[in-house]
């Protein structure tokens, strides 16, 4: 394991000299994450966000989401969109949060908004495609099965794949299964 104590000491000294520097708070948060100290990382990211440091929004939201604080993550991602509306990455983060919650209609709405900001952002277009596939009634079960399979939920995936086989007349399941 790396020794981050010197790096953290330097960051703390820099923050004493300039406590309003979002980059310094962000850098401290990265170190706290590397040290597996999520509480300190969240506090440092919050300071970066207070200074409108853009990357702080993304990392704070993702860390909150990872910690099971989806409502707080959603608020951070929404604030990032409001503050930096031309950056499609923030739309992607919020859309991905909704997607992970299987709120596919909300995910589509957000991905579409992000796509309007930067038409050729490939990750948004890809995720938008996936979200549409999940809500498509003819093919939705296959993609839901795939979703559960990749999450390691084999029993649920098998049930859905079997259901797909019973609807093989769509052609989709016969191509993929």
């Amino acid at each position: 394991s790396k020794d981050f104590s010197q790096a953290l000491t330097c960051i703390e000294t820099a923050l004493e000299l300039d406590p309003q520097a979002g980059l310094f708070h962000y850098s401290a948060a990265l170190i706290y994450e590397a040290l597996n100290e999520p509480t300190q990382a969240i506090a440092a990211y919050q300071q970066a966000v207070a200074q409108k440091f853009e990357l702080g929004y993304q990392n704070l939201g993702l860390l909150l989401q990872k910690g099971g604080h989806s409502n707080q993550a959603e608020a951070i991602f929404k604030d990032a969109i409001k503050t930096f509306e031309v950056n499609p990455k923030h739309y992607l983060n919020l859309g991905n949060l909704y997607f992970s919650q299987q709120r596919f209609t909300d995910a589509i709405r957000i991905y579409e908004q992000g796509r309007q900001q930067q038409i050729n952002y490939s990750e948004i277009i890809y995720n938008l495609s996936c979200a549409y596939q999940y809500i498509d009634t003819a093919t939705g079960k296959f993609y839901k099965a795939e979703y559960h399979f990749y999450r390691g939920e084999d029993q649920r995936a098998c049930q859905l794949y079997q259901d797909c086989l019973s609807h093989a007349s769509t052609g989709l399941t016969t191509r993929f299964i």
Side-chain angles (χ1 to χ4, degrees):
S1 119
K2 294 183 180 180
D3 180 15
F4 291 103
S5 61
Q6 287 183 324
L8 195 53
T9 300
C10 290
I11 293 293
E12 289 169 349
T13 301
L15 280 167
E16 288 173 13
L17 296 171
D18 187 0
Q20 304 301 313
L23 174 62
F24 300 164
H25 291 288
Y26 175 79
S27 296
L30 291 175
I31 293 170
Y32 287 128
E33 270 198 273
L35 294 170
N36 198 27
E37 296 180 13
T39 303
Q40 290 88 340
I42 288 171
Y45 282 135
Q46 287 171 331
Q47 289 297 315
V49 166
Q51 302 306 318
K52 304 293 185 208
F53 189 76
E54 190 170 4
L55 287 174
Y57 288 82
Q58 175 176 310
N59 287 28
L60 176 58
L62 293 172
L63 187 57
L64 288 167
Q65 183 180 353
K66 181 180 175 182
H69 305 284
S70 296
N71 291 339
Q72 291 174 298
E74 181 179 6
I76 292 296
F77 293 145
K78 284 180 176 180
D79 191 30
I81 288 171
K82 182 178 163 187
T83 307
F84 306 99
E85 67 181 55
V86 296
N87 186 340
K89 192 74 168 174
H90 301 303
Y91 295 88
L92 184 67
N93 289 330
L94 182 57
N96 289 350
L97 172 68
Y98 290 151
F99 194 94
S100 72
Q101 297 171 333
Q102 297 190 9
R103 294 170 53 188
F104 302 116
T105 304
D106 290 332
I108 288 169
R109 179 177 49 80
I110 295 301
Y111 291 146
E112 286 286 7
Q113 288 174 9
R115 191 171 132 191
Q116 290 171 7
Q117 296 300 323
Q118 187 171 337
I119 292 171
N120 293 322
Y121 194 66
S122 61
E123 286 182 74
I124 284 182
I125 294 169
Y126 173 78
N127 288 5
L128 181 61
S129 168
C130 291
Y132 273 121
Q133 291 168 1
Y134 270 95
I135 64 168
D136 181 342
T137 56
T139 60
K141 287 184 181 177
F142 173 78
Y143 292 102
K144 285 181 184 176
E146 190 176 55
Y147 170 82
H148 289 287
F149 174 77
Y150 286 114
R151 292 188 64 177
E153 300 167 357
D154 295 341
Q155 185 176 6
R156 179 69 180 134
C158 286
Q159 290 170 340
L160 290 167
Y161 281 135
Q162 288 173 352
D163 197 27
C164 288
L165 287 172
S166 68
H167 295 87
S169 63
T170 65
L172 177 73
T173 52
T174 56
R175 285 197 308 265
F176 290 106
I177 300 178

